[in-house]
Amino acid sequence: MIRKYRESDIDQVLDIWLSASIKAHAFVGPAFWKSKVSEMRDVYIPASETYVYESDGQVAGFYSLYGNTLAAIFVSPSLQGTGIGSELMDDAKSRRECLQLSVYSQNAPGINFYKQHGFISLGEQIDEQTGHPEFIMEHYC
């Protein structure tokens, strides 16, 4: 079930974000992601419109929207490949006519996932925080 984020979800959301970020972005290194947990907790999640996928009383994944930007979409690593990410993406797309996102160019599984969901690449830029190249992608803008 997909539902609106509640403050009581924060620890599960942060656990998913951290473990999935480390798995998907090994080229950045775990220390960087660990250093961003408090910003996620105190700045990014509160500023975003966030929805969670709940299964058996546990958060299995989430996405965050900031305006027309899909700022985050993450599924617990042990549940990736089960369709939860696609359900979250379909829900996100139903809430906006246009979505944009950025994805590291070294994250081939992420890029393929976004392409499967109708996103196209607009170009490339360098992520200021990590120095790694990323693609800007959009869906029906």
Side-chain angles (χ1 to χ4, degrees):
M1 161 183 96
I2 296 175
R3 62 167 173 78
K4 188 115 173 87
Y5 164 84
R6 298 188 290 251
E7 284 185 27
S8 60
D9 298 325
I10 190 65
D11 289 334
Q12 292 180 80
V13 164
L14 290 174
D15 286 347
I16 290 167
W17 173 81
L18 182 59
S19 61
S21 291
I22 289 169
K23 179 183 176 186
H25 310 118
F27 50 88
V28 173
F32 173 80
W33 302 111
K34 290 175 184 173
S35 77
K36 296 296 179 186
V37 170
S38 62
E39 272 183 78
M40 285 295 290
R41 177 189 309 274
D42 301 333
V43 179
Y44 295 117
I45 296 295
S48 300
E49 182 182 339
T50 298
Y51 294 86
V52 300
Y53 185 102
E54 185 179 313
S55 178
D56 298 325
Q58 297 294 311
V59 175
F62 74 97
Y63 72 86
S64 296
L65 299 169
Y66 187 78
N68 286 336
T69 299
L70 180 62
I73 183 167
F74 290 95
V75 174
S76 178
S78 65
L79 297 170
Q80 290 177 3
T82 63
I84 293 171
S86 291
E87 287 189 52
L88 287 166
M89 179 61 80
D90 290 345
D91 192 77
K93 290 191 304 188
S94 76
R95 295 179 191 279
R96 299 289 191 274
E97 288 183 23
C98 165
L99 278 177
Q100 290 190 335
L101 59 85
S102 59
V103 57
Y104 288 111
S105 58
Q106 291 175 270
N107 181 358
I111 294 166
N112 291 334
F113 174 79
Y114 297 130
K115 285 181 177 178
Q116 289 171 359
H117 288 277
F119 283 79
I120 60 167
S121 180
L122 296 179
E124 196 171 336
Q125 67 184 18
I126 299 296
D127 176 34
E128 292 178 12
Q129 293 191 41
T130 65
H132 287 274
E134 60 185 3
F135 292 118
I136 304 302
M137 300 183 81
E138 73 174 12
H139 185 268
Y140 293 123
C141 293

